[in-house]
Amino acid sequence: MPRLAVPSFAGVDLAAWASANSARLSHELDVFGAILFRGFEVNTPERLQEISERMCGSLCAYAERRSPRTVLAGDVLTSTHFPADQSILFHNEMSFAREWPMRLFFGCLRPADEGGWTPLADSRRVFARIPAATRAAFLERGVRYVRNYHRGVGLSWRETYQTEDVAEVEAICQRSVVGYAWVDGGRLRTWQDRHAIAAHPRTGETVWFNQAHFFHLRSLPDDTAAAIRRNYPEEDLPQQTYFADGSAIADASIDEINAAYAAEAVGFAWERGDLLVLDNMLVAHARTPYRGPRLIAVTLGDLYSPGRVENGRADP
């Protein structure tokens, strides 16, 4: 992983190929989870939009935003704006949400001078690698994501929900089954109870599918986590994860999850014009530090909603 696809002769129209080979594309993604198309000159936002649309049923919006991005064209966004000298942890896009995209498309418009890889990890193998007791605890209890929108800390609620209207924010939360409260004179607090694992709708395989580790203080540098603890009481932490019954997730469990991702990580160096297609449930992605300008464009496709969620498991 990723499966590598290159043109066997000059002038291959990748958009046309995708339209004519949708069943093969789906099969390859079911098996490998990730395909790297190299040599097809996917080097503009418009080109990424066109090919993404041919490779999935429909593109979808980046909802319940957790990271800053910029729109490049149409449905094409930049990858997360985050300091170049820091890593971004492994995650499956929007796995904290009630609905999520099944396919992700990354287009390399400009690779970094050094680093800036997008490591991948098979979510099936991550699930198998996490100790059984930890898996069982998450399956039984699920995950609760709590977020406090403090001024100047992370995205504002206006950026997250892409509106200035308080009533619209409340309506979005109600539709998405997100609890909310306006505290301390108008600051928004949200919480949502979600699955920890999920069954893939086509293959039936069980995958580790949550961001409990990503938003837990344990995954931050020790000095950063300590500073946050000093400045905010538990109920006002900017972001934190718990089991869905409200009990704490032990630091040791977060360490086990991060270790499982690290053990399954694979990577490659980006080249300009690369297109990386991911099955978002089968494969998690991350980002390494880098130097020099870097521009990776992203589209999200095939919004999916599980048919049934019980405790910590989501099923078709």
Side-chain angles (χ1 to χ4, degrees), residues 204-219:
E205 294 167 293
T206 299
V207 296
W208 188 255
F209 195 71
N210 65 77
Q211 294 189 31
H213 67 296
F214 196 94
F215 296 114
H216 196 283
L217 285 184
R218 176 63 174 177
S219 291

Side-chain angles (χ1 to χ4, degrees), residues 93-300:
E93 203 66 43
M94 293 172 58
S95 56
F96 55 80
R98 193 183 184 197
E99 300 177 315
W100 55 82
M102 284 296 295
R103 289 188 181 176
L104 306 182
F105 304 87
F106 296 86
C108 181
L109 307 188
R110 176 166 182 169
D113 295 337
E114 180 181 324
W117 291 19
T118 300
L120 307 175
D122 188 316
S123 301
R124 297 163 288 196
R125 295 175 63 88
V126 170
F127 172 80
R129 188 176 285 275
I130 292 170
T134 299
R135 293 200 311 260
F138 276 89
L139 176 59
E140 178 184 354
R141 298 152 81 181
V143 181
R144 176 173 296 172
Y145 302 89
V146 179
R147 188 173 181 183
N148 283 281
Y149 291 83
H150 296 284
R151 185 183 299 275
V153 180
L155 296 185
S156 69
W157 60 260
R158 295 170 178 82
E159 294 170 301
T160 294
Y161 294 105
Q162 296 289 286
T163 181
E164 298 278 342
D165 187 340
V166 168
E168 186 174 355
V169 169
E170 295 177 350
I172 292 171
C173 288
Q174 290 166 8
R175 289 196 303 269
S176 303
V177 195
V178 174
Y180 66 90
W182 300 95
V183 298
D184 298 339
R187 174 170 54 81
L188 178 62
R189 174 184 296 153
T190 63
W191 59 94
Q192 55 209 84
D193 295 344
R194 298 291 189 248
H195 52 270
I197 68 172
H200 193 278
R202 287 193 308 276
T203 72
E205 294 167 293
T206 299
V207 296
W208 188 255
F209 195 71
N210 65 77
Q211 294 189 31
H213 67 296
F214 196 94
F215 296 114
H216 196 283
L217 285 184
R218 176 63 174 177
S219 291
L220 294 174
D222 290 344
D223 56 346
T224 302
I228 291 173
R229 288 284 190 192
R230 286 195 300 269
N231 283 282
Y232 300 101
E234 185 72 27
E235 65 273 16
D236 290 336
L237 292 172
Q239 295 192 94
Q240 180 65 316
T241 57
Y242 307 87
F243 288 115
D245 60 8
S247 59
I249 300 173
D251 287 353
S253 295
I254 300 299
D255 291 344
E256 290 170 347
I257 294 166
N258 283 321
Y261 279 116
E264 294 299 335
V266 297
F268 63 94
W270 283 110
E271 295 182 9
R272 188 172 188 271
D274 280 352
L275 170 66
L276 177 66
V277 183
L278 299 185
D279 182 301
N280 184 41
M281 289 188 71
L282 296 181
V283 175
H285 62 281
R287 194 208 73 190
T288 66
Y290 64 93
R291 293 196 306 163
R294 175 185 187 269
L295 181 55
I296 306 297
V298 181
T299 55
L300 317 176

Side-chain angles (χ1 to χ4, degrees), residues 19-80:
S19 295
N21 292 272
S22 59
R24 179 179 178 184
L25 180 65
S26 292
H27 172 73
E28 295 282 336
L29 285 172
D30 287 348
V31 174
F32 296 98
I35 304 173
L36 177 63
F37 291 91
R38 174 163 287 172
F40 295 94
E41 299 183 354
V42 185
N43 47 30
T44 67
E46 293 76 15
R47 181 82 168 131
L48 177 60
Q49 172 101 20
E50 176 193 14
I51 294 174
S52 300
E53 289 174 341
R54 297 286 192 95
M55 287 189 173
C56 68
S58 61
L59 299 182
C60 55
Y62 178 44
E64 292 186 53
R65 299 189 175 201
R66 295 286 180 129
S67 62
R69 301 173 187 256
T70 301
V71 175
L72 295 175
D75 299 301
V76 182
L77 307 170
T78 61
S79 58
T80 297

Side-chain angles (χ1 to χ4, degrees), residues 100 195-200 281 306 308-316:
W100 55 82
H195 52 270
I197 68 172
H200 193 278
M281 289 188 71
R308 180 168 57 95
V309 178
E310 293 184 1
N311 298 326
R313 182 183 177 93
D315 289 304

